[in-house]
Structures are given as C-alpha cells and as structure tokens.
Amino acid sequence: MIKQTTVLGLATILLGGPVYATDWNLATPYGDASFHTVNTKQFAEDVRDATDGELNISVHSGGSLIGHAEIKPSVRRGTIEAGEVFLSILSNESPVFELDTLPGLAGSYDQAYALWQASKPVIEELFAEQGLKPLYAVPWPSQGIYTDIELNDPAQFKGLRVRAPNINTQRLTENLGGLPTETEESDIPTAFSTGRVDAMITSVSTGKSMSAWDYVSHFSDANLWIPKNIIFVNLKAFERLDDEAQQAVLDAAAQAEERGWEASKTDAAIGAEALKEHDITITTPNEAVAEALQAAGDKLYEDWEKRANDQAKALVEDYRSRL
C-alpha cells in the first residue's frame, strides 16, 4: 500500500502543488424534514460527486450552526462559506427582496418563476456588492393562514397574534388589525402552546413539517404569495475554486433549482393531504374575508411602490411583460 504522504508527494511532483480537499460549511434554518433541506443536501452531494470529493459542503440544518438572521452576515464575513435564507427577510436592504411577498403579484408557480427570472439579475448585482454570489432559489408553496378557529369574519383579525417571519407578513397583519409576532419556524409549536401566537401565515409544507394539527384546526388557503429561499456563497470562497470546481457548483445549483421547484409542487400536494388526514379543515376565504385580504394587500403594494426605486419598479414591469 502506498502511504498517504507518498501519494501527496507524487501529486506535488506531477501537478506542481499539493492536492487537498476544500471544505465548505452551509447553514440553513430549516430542519431535515423540510423539502428545502433535502434539496440542499442533494446539492451538496452532487457537488461532492462532480468534484470527486475535492469540494465537500457540510449542510448544517435547523439553525444548528447559526441562527437565521445571522446566516447572511456570516457568509458575507467569510465565517462560513455558504447559506440558505428566506429571501424576504432581507427586505430591509432593498425593496427588490420583498417582491415575492407582495400579495397578488405572483399567484402561481409559473408566475413565481417568471418573477424570479426577472429579478435574478438584479439580485445577483445586489449580492455581488456585498461579496456574495447567489446559486439558486426555490419557492415554498403558496401561503395561507392557520388558526384554531374558522376565519369567516374580517373582525376576527382584530387583535389576532400572528406569527410573521418577514416584514410584509408583519405589515399585512397590521393592515388587517392583527398583532405580528416574530417566531422562528423551529419555535412555532412552543409559541402556540404558550399563547404567544394565535395564528400563522405559512405554507402547507411548514404545517406538515411542524405538525400543525397539534395546535391549530383550520387552514385558510388564501394563496397570499409564493415566497422563496435563496442559497448563496461567499464570492471569494467561490473564486478560490478552480474553473472545473466552479462549473461543478454552478451545474449542481442549476439542477437543484429545477429539482427544488418540482419538489415544492409535490410537497404542496403532500402537505395538503397530510393536513386533511389529521383533521385540519382546509377552506378558501369567503367573500368578506377575501375582500379584507385584498384591501390589506392593496395597501401593502401601494406602500411598496412609495419605497421602491426606479430599478425595482422597472423589474416589476419586466416581470409583467413575461406573463
């Protein structure tokens, strides 16, 4: 058997330098049961296979390495090499990051994909300014409202404590007369059991993965918006890779994006079935509730237009031209 040191020495002679593996850490706030995490881990495996183990990406799920809010700053600083976040939590940086949480803008997967294609060049530019490189984005199923009561009257929103994971969910809740509450996905069961929240706006996927039937009884399929997660890397870390490894990452990212969009559709169907099997009543908003949601959403969009710069407004026009 040839000793490892001998192999390394031979590689040094033949290739002009030592051969060694590069290790990346990728942090995600989502648990292993989430289809997003399954997809992210498959991405890491694909990169490892394509580079013959020369680039190993360790996926740290469920916020086990870094909390959600600190993932992007940590990648930017280079503390870790890559991360995954809910795109709209970055909305304080640019109105562009809010687009996929504006009610009525993109209400189907086809529309959501057209919005991503229109916004991707701008998002890449914004990330590059911070030394970051987006790799791919994957949507959640459309967002609805979980409660322990049937929502059939707009007055029920008054004082309702709603889990709001991003600024537009907070604003929509306030427009409806509710009280937004920040709660990470992993803390949802505790938040309900302790009375910190009465409702949450999220997808059937999250409801399934968090066993929502343990603390709520109704899901109003309001189709508010189709938000996305974005997976990105520290630009310097990416550029330190050789050309072949860079291409392997990009190819795996393209596959992960395509796979992820299909997985979202599949998980939406599975999630809805799981809710029904556990006796959660799924309804669509009645006329009165739908009108209240529409009015709250319209105000949200009007407020966005006041904040948006010309680039963001042009992006929306580009998106609408693709429909």
Side-chain angles (χ1 to χ4, degrees), residues 121-156:
V122 177
I123 290 175
E124 288 178 335
E125 179 182 324
L126 293 171
F127 268 59
E129 290 173 357
Q130 299 183 27
L132 301 169
K133 181 178 180 61
L135 295 177
Y136 62 96
V138 172
W140 292 91
S142 64
Q143 307 290 284
I145 308 169
Y146 287 87
T147 56
D148 204 25
I149 55 173
E150 182 180 355
L151 285 176
N152 52 29
D153 187 339
Q156 293 171 299

Side-chain angles (χ1 to χ4, degrees), residues 39-63:
N39 190 45
T40 301
K41 288 186 173 182
Q42 184 62 56
F43 160 72
E45 185 176 330
D46 290 345
V47 169
R48 188 177 301 111
D49 290 345
T51 61
D52 294 325
E54 290 184 17
L55 176 56
N56 296 301
I57 303 175
S58 297
V59 177
H60 302 269
S61 58

Side-chain angles (χ1 to χ4, degrees), residues 14 17 62 79 89 105 112 166 218 222-223 237 251 275 283-284 289-290 306:
L14 296 177
T79 307
I89 70 164
L105 188 60
N166 59 75
H218 288 74
N223 192 28
D251 289 344
L275 296 184
T283 60
T284 54
V289 172
K306 293 175 183 176

Side-chain angles (χ1 to χ4, degrees), residues 50-278:
T51 61
D52 294 325
E54 290 184 17
L55 176 56
N56 296 301
I57 303 175
S58 297
V59 177
H60 302 269
S61 58
S64 59
L65 184 64
I66 298 171
H68 199 167
E70 288 302 310
I71 290 176
K72 182 169 174 283
S74 296
V75 178
R76 184 179 180 183
R77 289 192 300 266
T79 307
I80 58 173
E81 289 76 20
E84 176 175 11
V85 301
F86 193 56
L87 181 60
S88 60
I89 70 164
L90 311 177
S91 57
N92 63 315
E93 299 179 17
S94 169
V96 169
F97 297 134
E98 298 178 40
L99 284 171
D100 63 9
T101 55
L102 291 176
L105 188 60
S108 69
Y109 278 107
D110 286 345
Q111 291 175 346
Y113 188 73
L115 180 60
W116 168 234
Q117 292 305 300
S119 59
K120 186 176 180 179
V122 177
I123 290 175
E124 288 178 335
E125 179 182 324
L126 293 171
F127 268 59
E129 290 173 357
Q130 299 183 27
L132 301 169
K133 181 178 180 61
L135 295 177
Y136 62 96
V138 172
W140 292 91
S142 64
Q143 307 290 284
I145 308 169
Y146 287 87
T147 56
D148 204 25
I149 55 173
E150 182 180 355
L151 285 176
N152 52 29
D153 187 339
Q156 293 171 299
F157 288 113
K158 305 300 180 183
L160 195 70
R161 291 166 295 187
V162 181
R163 183 243 179 181
N166 59 75
I167 190 63
N168 277 344
T169 308
Q170 294 172 23
R171 290 167 178 153
L172 182 72
T173 299
E174 290 169 347
N175 290 348
L176 290 166
L179 303 173
T181 302
E182 290 189 35
T183 306
E184 280 294 339
E185 181 179 330
S186 59
D187 195 37
I188 289 174
T190 302
F192 272 96
S193 64
T194 58
R196 282 192 286 120
V197 297
D198 307 307
M200 62 180 177
I201 295 177
T202 190
S203 68
V204 291
S205 293
T206 299
K208 172 177 65 69
S209 64
M210 296 274 70
S211 301
W213 43 84
D214 289 338
Y215 40 89
V216 297
S217 58
H218 288 74
F219 176 70
S220 179
D221 190 5
N223 192 28
L224 295 173
W225 50 68
I226 299 176
K228 296 184 293 293
N229 285 2
I230 190 164
I231 293 78
F232 54 96
V233 64
N234 179 283
L235 186 56
K236 288 183 179 178
F238 180 79
E239 291 177 342
R240 280 195 291 267
L241 301 175
D242 62 33
D243 291 345
E244 289 186 5
Q246 287 184 12
Q247 192 59 52
V249 170
L250 296 178
D251 289 344
Q255 293 169 9
E257 181 162 292
E258 182 177 356
R259 182 176 59 239
W261 282 73
E262 290 305 313
S264 180
K265 298 173 187 177
T266 300
D267 207 69
I270 293 172
E273 190 61 32
L275 296 184
K276 292 175 184 176
E277 288 176 357
H278 289 85

